[in-house]
Structure formats: C-alpha cells, structure tokens
Amino acid sequence: LYPRTLLAMARLVRPETGRAVLLTQDKTSMFKSLSQVSKYWKLQRNFQCNIGGLTGLIFLFNRTAEIRRDGDDVSRRERKRANDAAFKSAKNGKTTSAGDEAPAIDVDKDKVA
C-alpha cells in the first residue's frame, strides 16, 4: 500500500519543491517502503503522536528532483500480462486501444515504383 501510494503521489507532486505529510499507525510498513521510494521522496522528519490512545507516526517527505512517469512502478510481470492480453486481443481481431484499427491497404505491385 505505502510504496504504491508514494509512487502515485510522486507523479502528481512537483519535483524538488513538493512535500507530503502522511499519518500512519503502521510504522514498520512505512519504514520498509522508504527504500522503494527513495528515488522520489526524502524523509525530512517523522513525529510520534497519540491518536485516541493509539500511537501514530507523522512522516514529512520532501520531493526529490527525479522525474516520475506513468508506468515507472509497473512490474515486469504486470507489463507482460498486459502485452499478452493485447497480443491475444489483436490475434482475435479485437482492438485494445480507444480507436479503431487502421484499415488494410491493398497495394498494386505494378503501380508501386
């Protein structure tokens, strides 16, 4: 949950100047996910707080200069699944994009220079 959330936020938050503040009770998972998102987020500080008797942590992150693009966090397995599905659809004559497939063009060999 945390790595994907932070990666999605990295795509939306302005590089270098952006910040994020997250509140969680599951500090172990957050600390484990820091290594996965360190390319995009730098942990500036964390604070412990009490939320109705529960111990929580507030994480303050600063955005790094690294540019985040769509699909950067897509695993190789997910990409393969998507490609396989697209290939299967194309093989069955179905389109996978929003538009229609380009019509087939017959080329007369005698008229082609």
Side-chain angles (χ1 to χ4, degrees), residues 31-86:
F31 282 117
K32 285 182 181 178
S33 66
L34 290 178
S35 64
Q36 298 173 33
V37 298
S38 62
K39 183 177 179 180
Y40 304 108
W41 294 105
K42 181 182 175 193
L43 179 62
Q44 181 182 349
R45 195 166 175 194
N46 60 9
F47 307 90
Q48 190 170 346
C49 63
N50 184 346
I51 308 168
L54 300 174
T55 303
L57 252 104
I58 300 170
F59 290 85
L60 177 58
F61 291 99
N62 287 336
R63 184 70 170 78
T64 64
E66 186 71 31
I67 302 297
R68 170 87 174 106
R69 293 177 181 81
D70 282 335
D72 283 355
D73 61 331
V74 177
S75 71
R76 183 177 291 158
R77 179 179 290 154
E78 289 171 334
R79 266 185 263 153
K80 183 173 178 357
R81 258 189 229 140
N83 288 341
D84 289 347

Side-chain angles (χ1 to χ4, degrees), residues 80-100:
K80 183 173 178 357
R81 258 189 229 140
N83 288 341
D84 289 347
F87 179 75
K88 187 183 272 186
S89 293
K91 188 176 177 182
N92 294 332
K94 299 177 184 173
T95 60
T96 56
S97 63
D100 294 333

